[in-house]
């Protein structure tokens, strides 16, 4: 099982990196959305927050040496923001493995990641953007805040929509044990409508920006 776990985490890391490198959607200024955190938090749901953190570090280092133009500062921001979203969600879900636990964990991750991104952009953005901190402050509300709300909102919706399907594929591939513990991870029409509303709202907000 440890070998299968390593293989699965390596595969998730590769998928997350591919999404980070080739699935970037411009939103506002230089800020781009990529869904790598969806894959990372699914890994956290499957194997716990420590496994999610390992994937975060691997993917962030790969980004730094390939597609990132912000060097060590981009690596730091990626680790902080991804950890703020994925680790609380994975921890809470692994304590309560049902739909309620998943939603609660992702909501905590949503707010934690948004707050941490705003704080660390204030601290670090002047360094890698090479502009005065006063100019960064002027960008926090009109640019950084809506970007992070959109990013984390889409991550929440996509994670809930994809988790069961990704897990089923891994179980079918014999990389995970047969289904035993996610019988309570069930959708209903209210959840699906709420997720659809979140996705549509985020997409419309992107067009507005």
């Amino acid at each position: 099982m440890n070998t299968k776990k390593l293989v699965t985490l390596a595969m998730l890391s590769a998928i997350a990196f591919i999404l980070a490198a080739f699935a970037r959607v411009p939103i506002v200024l230089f800020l781009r959305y990529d869904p790598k955190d969806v894959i990372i938090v699914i890994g956290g749901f499957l194997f716990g927050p420590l496994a999610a953190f390992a994937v975060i570090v691997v993917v962030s280092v790969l980004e730094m040496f390939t597609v990132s133009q912000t060097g060590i500062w981009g690596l730091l921001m990626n680790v902080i923001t991804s950890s703020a979203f994925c680790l609380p969600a994975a921890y809470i879900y692994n304590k309560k493995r049902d739909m309620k636990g998943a939603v609660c964990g992702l909501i905590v991750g949503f707010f934690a990641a948004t707050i941490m991104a705003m704080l660390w952009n204030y601290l670090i953005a002047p360094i890698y953007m090479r502009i005065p901190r006063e100019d960064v402050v002027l960008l926090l509300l009109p640019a950084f805040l809506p970007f992070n709300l959109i990013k984390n909102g889409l991550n929440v919706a996509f994670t809930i929509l994809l988790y069961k399907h990704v897990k089923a594929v891994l179980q079918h591939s014999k990389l995970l044990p047969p289904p035993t513990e996610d019988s309570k991870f069930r959708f209903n029409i209210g959840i699906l409508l709420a997720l659809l509303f979140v996705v549509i709202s985020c997409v419309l907000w992107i067009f507005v920006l």
Side-chain angles (χ1 to χ4, degrees):
M1 189 57 216
N2 287 336
T3 302
K4 291 182 178 181
K5 178 179 178 179
L6 288 174
V7 170
T8 305
L9 290 175
M11 182 175 63
L12 293 175
S13 298
I15 295 171
F17 172 70
I18 291 170
L19 292 175
F22 301 108
R24 296 185 169 195
V25 178
I27 295 183
V28 57
L29 299 179
F30 62 90
L31 300 170
R32 297 173 180 268
Y33 169 74
D34 66 72
K36 70 175 184 289
D37 285 347
V38 174
I39 303 301
I40 295 171
V41 79
I42 287 175
F45 278 10
L46 294 172
F47 299 115
L50 184 59
F53 183 72
V55 176
I56 289 168
V57 173
V58 169
V59 174
S60 298
V61 170
L62 289 174
E63 281 189 81
M64 182 180 69
F65 286 111
T66 54
V67 298
S68 176
Q69 298 178 345
T70 53
I72 191 67
W73 301 112
L75 168 68
L76 181 61
M77 281 299 299
N78 279 329
V79 171
I80 289 172
T81 56
S82 292
S83 296
F85 178 76
C86 299
L87 302 191
Y91 177 80
I92 293 172
Y93 178 72
N94 277 272
K95 291 293 184 181
K96 184 173 177 59
R97 300 185 68 87
D98 56 18
M99 180 62 77
K100 183 177 180 181
V103 171
C104 289
L106 290 167
I107 289 175
V108 172
F110 173 91
F111 285 106
T114 301
I115 292 169
M116 292 296 286
M118 295 292 287
L119 171 63
W120 283 92
N121 272 306
Y122 172 78
L123 296 174
I124 294 178
I127 300 173
Y128 68 79
M129 292 177 67
R130 298 180 182 178
I131 62 175
R133 192 174 305 279
E134 293 77 12
D135 293 343
V136 172
V137 171
L138 295 176
L139 293 173
L140 287 177
L141 293 181
F144 288 109
L145 179 60
F147 168 75
N148 284 287
L149 292 175
I150 291 170
K151 171 186 173 182
N152 296 318
L154 289 174
N155 286 340
V156 168
F158 290 150
T159 300
I160 295 175
L161 289 171
L162 294 176
Y163 170 61
K164 280 193 71 172
H165 302 290
V166 172
K167 183 168 184 178
V169 170
L170 294 174
Q171 288 169 335
H172 183 72
S173 304
K174 309 300 183 183
L175 292 172
L176 290 177
T180 56
E181 53 191 17
D182 277 345
S183 58
K184 296 182 180 180
F185 197 97
R186 298 192 185 99
F187 290 97
N188 58 48
I189 189 64
I191 292 174
L192 291 175
L193 289 176
L195 296 175
L196 183 62
F197 175 77
V198 170
V199 172
I200 292 175
S201 298
C202 289
V203 171
L204 291 175
W205 204 355
I206 291 173
F207 282 114
V208 169
L209 291 174

